[in-house]
Amino acid sequence: MRLSLNLTERQTCQEEIPVTELIVLYRMPNDPERFEKYYREVHGPITSKLPGLKGYKYGPARALDGGPGEFFWYWSGTFESRQAALDAMASPEGLAGAADVPNYYHDDPLFMFFEK
């Protein structure tokens, strides 16, 4: 019995379901402890209300060696499409989340899409 498949075989065994991930990255905040507490208690729950959100996660970002990296924190949300993510950000819930950012972070976070 063969225990591993090569990459081509694995690709043919999986049904591809197109999804889009919206990634938000934060550099080191002025007050890391305050940032993390506020994010977990206030901002994170706000993000859970985005319309069309299929799932999300957030937390500290680390370098490959486990130490501090270029980014301090990340948020990743899964949507059916790029347009669904854009619609979520333009919704009242998305606008409320954007308006909340200055309450815990001193700069604009970096937003990007990952489409798979």
Side-chain angles (χ1 to χ4, degrees), residues 16-21 57 76 78 80 113-116:
E16 288 193 32
I17 301 170
V19 296
T20 297
E21 284 198 52
K57 55 189 171 184
S76 173
T78 305
E80 277 188 15
F113 289 106
F114 177 71
E115 296 177 293
K116 46 185 174 174

Side-chain angles (χ1 to χ4, degrees):
M1 174 197 233
R2 196 172 76 177
L3 296 177
S4 65
L5 300 173
N6 68 36
L7 183 58
T8 304
E9 289 172 323
R10 269 189 243 135
Q11 288 174 337
T12 60
C13 294
Q14 295 178 348
E15 178 184 344
E16 288 193 32
I17 301 170
V19 296
T20 297
E21 284 198 52
L22 173 61
I23 311 294
V24 184
L25 298 171
Y26 297 86
R27 296 186 190 280
M28 182 62 71
N30 291 333
D31 185 345
E33 287 180 21
R34 181 180 179 285
F35 175 103
E36 186 167 347
K37 182 177 183 347
Y38 189 92
Y39 203 100
R40 289 186 187 280
E41 294 176 3
V42 180
H43 193 75
I46 289 173
T47 67
S48 71
K49 298 175 182 162
L50 290 169
L53 183 65
K54 302 294 183 191
Y56 72 102
K57 55 189 171 184
Y58 58 82
R62 302 281 185 251
L64 289 177
D65 65 4
E70 182 177 354
F71 295 98
F72 172 77
W73 197 263
Y74 81 97
W75 182 91
S76 173
T78 305
F79 296 87
E80 277 188 15
S81 65
R82 185 172 184 266
Q83 188 60 53
L86 290 170
D87 292 345
M89 290 190 304
S91 72
E93 296 86 351
L95 296 174
D100 186 51
V101 172
N103 293 324
Y104 65 93
Y105 190 58
H106 67 279
D107 202 356
D108 292 328
L110 173 65
F111 286 76
M112 65 179 78
F113 289 106
F114 177 71
E115 296 177 293
K116 46 185 174 174

